[in-house]
């Protein structure tokens, strides 16, 4: 352990930390404590502000819309992970090949959707998915695929969101996998080849273990990100519609807390969702750790 | 071997086409008349009668330039402030030993993965109480204390040799001066990566600006494109497409100019803690 230079004044680190701590206390720590207070109060109706204990949570547990939204959010998270990660890994393997012509161009092209905010994408994609005969249906029709009502069929809309998510984030995951692939020493492949391992065996014995930590990170990050999903269902499928078919927890929280003004209920919802997310993350961590060992 | 190379390029062209297709379709559509956009079928890539009318309407019927300036301003201030606050805090944690250091680090780590859902409702009340609703500061300040940013900066600043700081002190430089003139220039790449990361996040943010901003003249592009443009031009798709393209074009241009910094900025999360 190194010793601090005697000349550094003891107050120096606190001066450097001051801006961060002031903002952090105001906009993270205090709201966090305040949301516990809010979650225990009834806040709906004119002038109503009462301590109600666990009433909000009891209502939440009976709220079918909430559980439906939670289920749809989990569906989106699972669909995103299953849709994006294998595709991203495949593309990373393609782009990572030696002697690839125009390597930089491919990477740039595949990365481009990552830059565009979900709200912008949603406006453009509303027209691509189309009301009746959008471009996507026309295009799929050429290959004999029957037209789908991407934005208005309750059985389809969640998949529309997953699909849009795949378009948006596969390039992002690909870049992470690429970094992981480049971290695998070439000697490992050579050693495996000398031992007579074929391409598939090399992939299983060298590549997969090498990128597993990245995959584990991406799974957790996608899950947390998915639980914040708001822009796409709000704009693309019109406020979580049709009906409740694309209402995610964030959409429902916004609806209840901000449009209906029941901020106490929204705070309680925030805590319950955090708890669910924590449990999911711990389970994922267990599974991915076990896999790594 | 030839088959696999053929397959490689075939797959890459397919993936690249899917990736770029929507951009090209929006670009082409934004130069089409409403009548041409409404025609069934795939439509032409090059509009039959190219028109800039959509863009003209965008800037004349909607104060779109104001939204562009608002967004650029908010995103820049957010990026610079967040990065500065993170660098200052990260420096304190990386280069000093002091009482309470462990507590601060634990606090930052413990709240870093906090999901947005839990803070949204109380943060609104706090912002309201501070009088920051409908103010750009209500967008900039809540995110400026980024636990993630502090941890990233702590990690990179930890690699700056102590001997450099000590020699600065021997030369009589104050602690602030050492930080500003010796340390910061050494970590410029990570600073630009963090600036880009936060800039992009602020440019694309939608829910929080929608909650905080009330007056239409304060809107950011995300809110404007989804609300104003969509409301006025329900039946004028070309204008909506033009608005979307104008909103994303600055980011794409920045990206093409600063590719390495962008990729670095967006993969900051993978850095081992």
């Amino acid at each position: 352990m190194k010793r601090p230079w005697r000349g550094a004044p003891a107050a120096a680190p606190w001066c450097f930390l001051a801006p961060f701590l002031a903002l952090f206390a105001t906009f993270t720590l205090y709201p966090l404590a305040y949301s516990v207070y809010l979650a225990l109060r009834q806040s709906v109706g004119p002038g109503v502000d009462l301590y109600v204990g666990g009433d909000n949570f009891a209502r939440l547990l009976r709220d079918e819309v909430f559980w439906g939204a939670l289920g749809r959010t989990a569906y989106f998270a699972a669909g995103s992970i299953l849709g994006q990660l294998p595709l991203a890994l495949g593309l990373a393997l393609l782009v990572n090949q030696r002697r690839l012509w125009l390597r930089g161009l491919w990477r740039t092209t595949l990365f481009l959707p990552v830059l565009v905010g979900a709200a912008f994408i949603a406006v453009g994609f509303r027209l691509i998915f189309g009301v009746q005969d959008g471009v996507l249906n026309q295009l799929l029709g050429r290959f004999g695929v029957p037209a789908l009502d991407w934005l208005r069929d309750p059985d389809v809309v969640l998949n529309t969101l997953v699909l849009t998510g795949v378009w948006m984030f596969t390039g992002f995951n690909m870049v992470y996998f690429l970094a992981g692939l480049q971290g695998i020493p070439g000697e490992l492949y050579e050693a495996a080849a000398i031992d007579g391992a074929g391409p598939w065996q090399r992939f299983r014995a060298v590549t997969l273990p090498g990128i597993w930590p990245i995959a584990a990170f991406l799974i957790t990050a996608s899950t947390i990100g998915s639980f914040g999903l708001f822009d796409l269902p709000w704009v693309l499928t019109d406020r979580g519609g049709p009906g409740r078919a694309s209402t995610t927890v964030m959409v429902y929280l916004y609806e209840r807390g901000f449009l209906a003004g029941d901020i106490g209920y929204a705070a309680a919802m925030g805590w319950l969702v955090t708890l669910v997310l924590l449990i999911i993350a711990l389970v994922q961590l267990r599974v991915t750790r076990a896999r790594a060992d | 071997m030839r088959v696999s190379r053929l397959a490689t390029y075939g797959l890459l062209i397919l993936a690249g086409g899917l990736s770029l297709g929507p951009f090209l379709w929006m670009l082409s559509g934004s130069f089409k008349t409403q009548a041409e956009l409404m025609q069934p079928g795939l439509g032409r890539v090059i509009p039959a009668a190219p028109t800039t009318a959509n863009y003209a309407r965008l800037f004349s019927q909607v104060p779109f330039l104001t939204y562009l300036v608002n967004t650029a301003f908010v995103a820049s201030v957010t990026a610079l402030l967040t990065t500065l606050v993170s660098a200052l805090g990260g420096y304190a944690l990386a280069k000093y030993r002091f009482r309470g250091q462990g507590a601060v680090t634990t606090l930052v780590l413990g709240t870093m993965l906090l999901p947005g859902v839990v803070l949204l409702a109380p943060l609104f009340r706090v912002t309201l109480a501070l009088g920051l609703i409908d103010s750009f500061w209500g967008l900039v300040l809540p995110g400026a204390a980024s636990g993630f940013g502090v941890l990233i900066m702590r990690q990179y600043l930890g690699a700056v040799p102590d001997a450099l700081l000590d020699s600065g002190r021997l030369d009589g430089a104050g602690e602030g001066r050492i930080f500003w003139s010796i340390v910061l220039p050494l970590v410029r790449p990570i600073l630009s990566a963090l600036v880009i990361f936060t800039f992009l996040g602020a440019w694309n943010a939608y829910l929080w600006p929608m909650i905080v901003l009330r007056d239409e003249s304060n809107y950011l592009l995300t809110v404007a494109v989804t609300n104003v443009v969509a409301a006025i031009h329900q039946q004028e798709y070309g204008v909506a497409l033009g608005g979307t393209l104008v909103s994303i074009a600055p980011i794409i241009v920045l990206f093409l100019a600063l590719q390495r910094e962008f990729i670095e900025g967006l993969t900051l999360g993978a850095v081992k803690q």
Side-chain angles (χ1 to χ4, degrees), chain B residues 15-16 72 79 81-82 86 92 100 108 110 135 167 175-176 189 204 209 233 235 241 245:
Chain B
L81 185 70
T82 308
S86 302
V108 172
S135 142
S167 73
E175 298 300 305
N204 288 335
H233 302 286
Q235 294 309 315
L241 290 179
L245 276 169

Side-chain angles (χ1 to χ4, degrees), chain A residues 109-133:
Chain A
T109 306
L110 297 172
F111 190 73
L112 224 46
V114 176
L115 304 168
V116 187
F120 300 129
I121 285 173
V123 172
F125 272 46
R126 267 185 80 85
L127 304 180
I128 289 176
F129 285 117
V131 182
Q132 274 126 12
D133 41 17

Side-chain angles (χ1 to χ4, degrees), chain A residues 18-39:
Chain A
F20 173 77
L21 289 179
L23 289 166
F24 190 68
T26 314
F27 294 108
T28 302
L29 289 183
Y30 177 73
L32 208 54
Y34 186 51
S35 78
V36 177
Y37 169 88
L38 281 178

Side-chain angles (χ1 to χ4, degrees), chain A residues 182-200:
Chain A
Q182 280 155 8
I184 301 174
E187 299 95 70
L188 286 181
Y189 287 105
E190 285 159 29
I194 290 168
D195 288 347
W200 172 243

